[in-house]
Amino acid sequence: MEWTPISEEELLSLIEAQLLGCDDGLVALFHEIEVPPRRRGIRRFGEVEYVFVVAEAGAGIIYYEDIEEGFEFCELGVDGVIPERGCDQLELCHILERIRSSKQLL
């Protein structure tokens, strides 16, 4: 089976499903920082590909890494591109908990 990028509609469904597993505080946090999904460049092995950004918190963004099938949080590089990252494959609730715990709020 050949890999294809996630569509915006699939991503919105995934977010909705994952928010069902979050506590009310995390759901409220997500709704405070969410943005309409938009494509942003990400560095992968020296190349720039694209992922969806779904939220902004402080200087960081939450994006969905569809190759690894998980959410990530990071700051953009000086060029506005997401720097090469690890492969965390986290659920949205885990990222939101990290933000809440570290006080990286608006």
Side-chain angles (χ1 to χ4, degrees), residues 1-41:
M1 188 163 122
E2 192 170 316
W3 177 85
T4 57
I6 193 168
S7 71
E8 185 173 340
E9 294 77 24
E10 291 169 322
L11 177 60
L12 291 171
S13 293
L14 176 65
I15 290 169
E16 184 178 320
Q18 288 200 7
L19 285 176
L20 292 174
C22 297
D23 67 45
D24 291 345
L26 293 178
V27 172
L29 173 59
F30 180 73
H31 290 306
E32 287 177 31
I33 63 174
E34 74 179 312
V35 297
R38 64 178 184 277
R39 295 255 181 219
R40 174 66 74 165

Side-chain angles (χ1 to χ4, degrees), residues 28-86:
L29 173 59
F30 180 73
H31 290 306
E32 287 177 31
I33 63 174
E34 74 179 312
V35 297
R38 64 178 184 277
R39 295 255 181 219
R40 174 66 74 165
I42 184 171
R43 292 202 186 286
R44 287 192 186 122
F45 305 106
E47 300 293 322
V48 175
E49 297 178 3
Y50 292 88
V51 294
F52 278 110
V53 171
V54 299
E56 297 176 348
I61 59 167
I62 297 175
Y63 65 94
Y64 184 70
E65 169 47 281
D66 58 350
I67 289 179
E68 298 298 332
E69 297 182 349
F71 288 91
E72 298 272 355
F73 179 81
C74 75
E75 292 185 16
L76 296 174
V78 294
D79 58 358
V81 174
I82 299 166
E84 282 203 36
R85 308 283 303 159

